[in-house]
């Protein structure tokens, strides 16, 4: 059974079944004469549908092509999705910005000035190096006399120089004498496309695959993002200095750094105006190579996964939540990641007409699925290693549809059982108790296989 309600595809393998599965589709390729439709999905899944009858196959293909390029946000699936367990208003007011501002004001009045992390867009100095006295004065008020601050520009020095020719630029040292400027930044979308292509190519040998992994430079992006976030955190934690982070518009790599350094998602990505609608339009299968497309939010999730791997007790949630956030950023039944900024969400009345992803995840039955059973609260700053041997490919995402995660899922279920201590032992598909293999990785299977 197949239904095409909009930009997403619903299908069921059981005839006349009411149980449909949402598949986020944006691109398809049609075989010449075999009646096969290949769907390349935003969540990196690749599906092949064998449609009996060429005419019906062509009709379905043309319907999917037409509906996978819906221009109006208000015609997307979240505006029609109505789960029975949720109310529309739930989850939209869990993170009020006004409350955050009041908290900051109260901390300043009680404790004085702690190091602050600021973010902004680039200064508009232009080719003539124009000055903005108001901006200089604003940044001057952040620093006490004799203090110094750090400006982390998430662009390369060359990119910042080129931006000056089109009206942008950087803060001149002469106008911002107390601020030290540091540059970071690399292109990203091409790397994402090459990585997914390499992961989907199961015919090449290991040496060639490792060469393709290295040449796509995705892990270099992960290292650079973590390094820059650590630099920002180090300036605040060890130098006790204020930090200003900006790139060009202040809504892309800027947010990647500030979100990693502070461990924040809603405020630093959604409220701050990351353009999800532009950046997450076509995932890794974009042939158009659109300049607006960039997997920055995916890079953030990958960096968080690296942290969870290096510090398995320090994060309250597990990999499953990161995978859910990736899926929902690219194609979702919820309105949380719709549009490019708060203004667009207000104009489209997203909060009035769609459900919040946070409301769904915060349901007790759902929340339990995403928690890390090994979590131990830790108030200390965590400093990840960015050495090459410490940065690994996120196989749980990039190989999710290529390799089965059955054993990993069973292992996590057993860990949760051991922590809670009140459930029967979980066995793997071969009938072995997973607690044995978890406590003794060298143990042989009980049945000899």
């Amino acid at each position: 059974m197949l239904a095409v309600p909009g930009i997403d595809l619903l299908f069921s393998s059981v005839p006349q079944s009411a149980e449909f599965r949402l598949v986020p589709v944006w691109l398809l390729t049609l075989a010449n004469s075999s009646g096969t439709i290949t769907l390349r999905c935003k969540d990196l899944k690749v599906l092949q549908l064998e449609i009996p009858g060429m005419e019906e196959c062509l009709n379905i293909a043309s319907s999917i092509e037409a509906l996978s390029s819906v221009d109006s946000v208000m015609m997307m699936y979240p505006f029609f999705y109505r789960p029975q367990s949720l109310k529309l208003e739930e989850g939209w007011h869990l993170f009020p910005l006004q409350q955050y501002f009041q908290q900051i004001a109260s901390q300043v009045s009680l404790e004085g000035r702690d190091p602050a992390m600021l973010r902004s867009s680039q200064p508009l100095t232009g080719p003539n190096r124009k000055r903005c006295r108001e901006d200089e004065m604003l940044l001057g008020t952040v620093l006490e006399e004799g203090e110094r601050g750090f400006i982390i520009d998430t662009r390369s020095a060359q990119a910042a120089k080129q931006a000056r020719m089109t009206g942008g630029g950087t803060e001149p040292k002469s106008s911002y004498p107390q601020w030290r400027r540091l540059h970071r930044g690399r292109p990203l979308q091409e790397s994402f496309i090459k990585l997914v292509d390499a992961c989907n190519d199961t015919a090449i040998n290991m040496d060639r695959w490792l060469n393709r992994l290295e040449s796509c430079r995705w892990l270099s992006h992960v290292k650079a993002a973590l390094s820059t976030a650590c630099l920002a955190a180090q300036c605040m934690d060890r130098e006790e200095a204020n930090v200003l982070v900006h790139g060009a518009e202040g809504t892309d790599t800027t947010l990647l750094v500030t979100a990693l350094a502070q461990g924040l998602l809603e405020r630093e990505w959604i409220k701050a105006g990351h353009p999800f609608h532009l950046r997450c339009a076509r995932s890794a299968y974009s042939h158009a190579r659109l300049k607006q497309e960039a997997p920055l939010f995916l890079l953030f999730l990958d960096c968080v996964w690296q942290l969870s791997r290096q510090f398995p007790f320090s994060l309250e949630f597990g990999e499953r939540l990161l995978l859910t956030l990736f899926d929902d950023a690219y194609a979702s039944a919820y309105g949380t990641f719709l549009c490019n900024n708060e203004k667009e969400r207000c104009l489209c009345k997203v909060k009035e007409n769609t459900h919040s992803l946070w409301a769904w995840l915060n349901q007790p039955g759902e929340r339990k699925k995403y928690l890390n059973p090994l979590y131990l609260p830790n108030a200390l700053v965590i400093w990840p290693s960015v050495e090459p041997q410490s940065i690994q490919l996120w196989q749980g995402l990039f190989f999710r549809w290529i390799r089965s995660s059955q054993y990993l899922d069973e292992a996590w279920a057993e860990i949760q059982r051991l922590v809670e201590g009140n459930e029967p032992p979980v066995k793997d598909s071969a009938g072995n108790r997973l607690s044995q293999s978890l406590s003794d990785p060298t143990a042989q299977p009980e049945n000899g296989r």
Side-chain angles (χ1 to χ4, degrees):
M1 184 180 294
L2 182 69
V4 188
I7 195 167
D8 302 304
L9 187 72
L10 296 171
F11 72 90
S12 172
S13 58
V14 181
Q16 298 181 350
S17 170
E19 294 297 324
F20 284 94
R21 185 155 58 91
L22 179 69
V23 178
V25 175
W26 88 266
L27 175 71
L28 62 87
T29 57
L30 181 64
N32 290 334
S33 59
S34 64
T36 301
I37 297 177
T38 301
L39 302 172
R40 302 185 185 277
C41 308
K42 291 183 179 181
D43 62 0
L44 310 184
K45 188 191 289 103
V46 178
L47 300 172
Q48 285 193 330
L49 304 180
E50 297 291 338
I51 309 296
M54 195 59 191
E55 183 178 355
E56 187 172 358
C57 181
L58 290 170
N59 289 338
I60 292 174
S62 61
S63 297
I64 296 176
E65 282 184 319
L67 292 170
S68 64
S69 57
V70 175
D71 293 328
S72 172
V73 171
M74 300 176 72
M75 292 300 295
M76 292 182 173
Y77 187 64
F79 281 87
F80 304 94
Y81 180 60
R82 294 295 180 266
Q84 294 182 353
S85 60
L86 295 180
K87 297 180 180 179
L88 281 173
E89 64 271 14
E90 287 184 274
W92 287 114
H93 305 291
L94 294 176
F95 312 99
L97 275 180
Q98 191 62 33
Q99 180 179 332
Y100 167 73
F101 294 142
Q102 291 172 354
Q103 180 184 358
I104 294 297
S106 64
Q107 288 176 351
V108 170
S109 62
L110 291 175
E111 302 168 10
R113 265 191 223 196
D114 290 329
M117 177 171 289
L118 314 172
R119 51 176 160 75
S120 71
S121 59
Q122 64 181 335
L124 304 180
T125 54
N128 297 324
R129 298 180 182 270
K130 294 184 296 184
R131 295 182 61 179
C132 178
R133 305 284 183 179
E134 293 80 5
D135 186 62
E136 295 169 18
M137 184 180 300
L138 178 63
L139 288 187
T141 60
V142 175
L143 303 177
E144 301 278 357
E145 185 176 353
E147 282 186 338
R148 68 169 181 167
F150 292 89
I151 298 174
I152 298 179
D153 194 323
T154 57
R155 304 165 295 179
S156 65
Q158 182 63 28
K161 184 177 180 180
Q162 292 174 348
R164 193 167 68 233
M165 304 308 296
T166 57
T170 59
E171 295 82 357
K173 293 181 181 179
S174 58
S175 303
Y176 301 84
Q178 291 178 264
W179 292 87
R180 179 186 174 191
R181 190 172 71 247
L182 307 168
H183 286 280
R184 297 290 188 274
R186 293 175 178 176
L188 190 61
Q189 176 67 9
E190 191 74 20
S191 176
F192 180 38
I193 293 172
K194 288 181 177 180
L195 173 59
V196 173
D197 285 344
C199 291
N200 286 337
D201 189 350
T202 58
I204 59 176
N205 60 36
M206 181 59 71
D207 288 339
R208 286 190 61 195
W209 188 86
L210 290 174
N211 287 334
R212 290 182 67 176
L213 175 63
E214 183 178 4
S215 65
C216 77
R217 299 187 61 79
W218 178 261
L219 297 183
S220 297
H221 291 297
V222 173
K223 176 182 177 178
L226 285 172
S227 298
T228 308
C230 285
L231 175 63
Q234 181 177 348
C235 290
M236 296 181 66
D237 184 67
R238 297 181 178 176
E239 302 287 336
E240 296 186 347
N242 296 287
V243 176
L244 169 64
V245 183
H246 74 66
E249 301 300 322
T251 56
D252 287 305
T253 50
T254 298
L255 304 182
L256 172 63
V257 173
T258 58
L260 283 173
Q262 299 175 92
L264 298 172
L265 192 156
E266 170 79 12
R267 195 188 80 199
E268 294 300 305
W269 284 100
I270 298 172
K271 295 289 177 60
H274 180 63
F276 283 98
H277 188 64
L278 290 174
R279 300 293 183 260
C280 301
R282 290 169 172 79
S283 189
Y285 298 117
S286 172
H287 294 307
R289 304 293 195 268
L290 298 178
K291 291 183 179 179
Q292 298 95 333
E293 188 87 10
L296 287 152
F297 187 65
L298 168 57
L299 182 58
F300 165 74
L301 296 176
D302 198 326
C303 290
V304 175
W305 178 82
Q306 304 288 338
L307 293 174
S308 71
R309 193 188 61 79
Q310 294 188 28
F311 302 92
F313 303 104
S314 295
L315 274 65
E316 190 174 3
F317 49 84
E319 181 186 48
R320 186 171 183 175
L321 177 62
L322 300 177
L323 294 172
T324 298
L325 292 174
F326 166 72
D327 291 342
D328 280 87
Y330 279 88
S332 179
Y334 304 93
T336 302
F337 294 106
L338 286 180
C339 303
N340 294 310
N341 49 55
E342 282 292 291
K343 179 181 178 180
E344 289 186 10
R345 281 187 278 273
C346 288
L347 291 174
C348 295
K349 296 185 177 181
V350 169
K351 295 179 181 180
E352 292 83 358
N353 295 297
T354 72
H355 288 282
S356 167
L357 174 63
W358 311 134
W360 174 260
L361 295 179
N362 274 314
Q363 295 179 114
E366 288 296 316
R367 181 181 175 86
K368 184 180 179 181
K369 299 176 184 177
Y370 301 99
L371 294 178
N372 175 11
L374 301 178
Y375 172 65
L376 295 173
N378 176 17
L380 300 176
V381 178
I382 58 176
W383 300 101
S385 169
V386 293
E387 295 299 320
Q389 64 270 23
S390 300
I391 306 297
Q392 296 189 8
L393 180 66
W394 185 6
Q395 297 187 36
L397 173 70
F398 294 108
F399 289 154
R400 181 165 43 152
W401 311 116
I402 301 171
R403 294 181 181 175
S404 172
S405 63
Q406 173 190 345
Y407 296 110
L408 183 61
D409 294 340
E410 291 173 347
W412 272 108
E414 176 69 356
I415 291 173
Q416 192 166 39
R417 185 199 68 81
L418 290 172
V419 171
E420 294 177 351
N422 58 1
E423 295 183 12
V426 176
K427 295 187 177 183
D428 63 17
S429 57
N432 303 311
R433 282 187 56 170
L434 287 172
S435 55
Q436 176 184 0
S437 58
L438 289 170
S439 59
D440 182 8
T442 63
Q444 296 297 315
E446 296 172 352
N447 59 9
R449 286 192 300 212

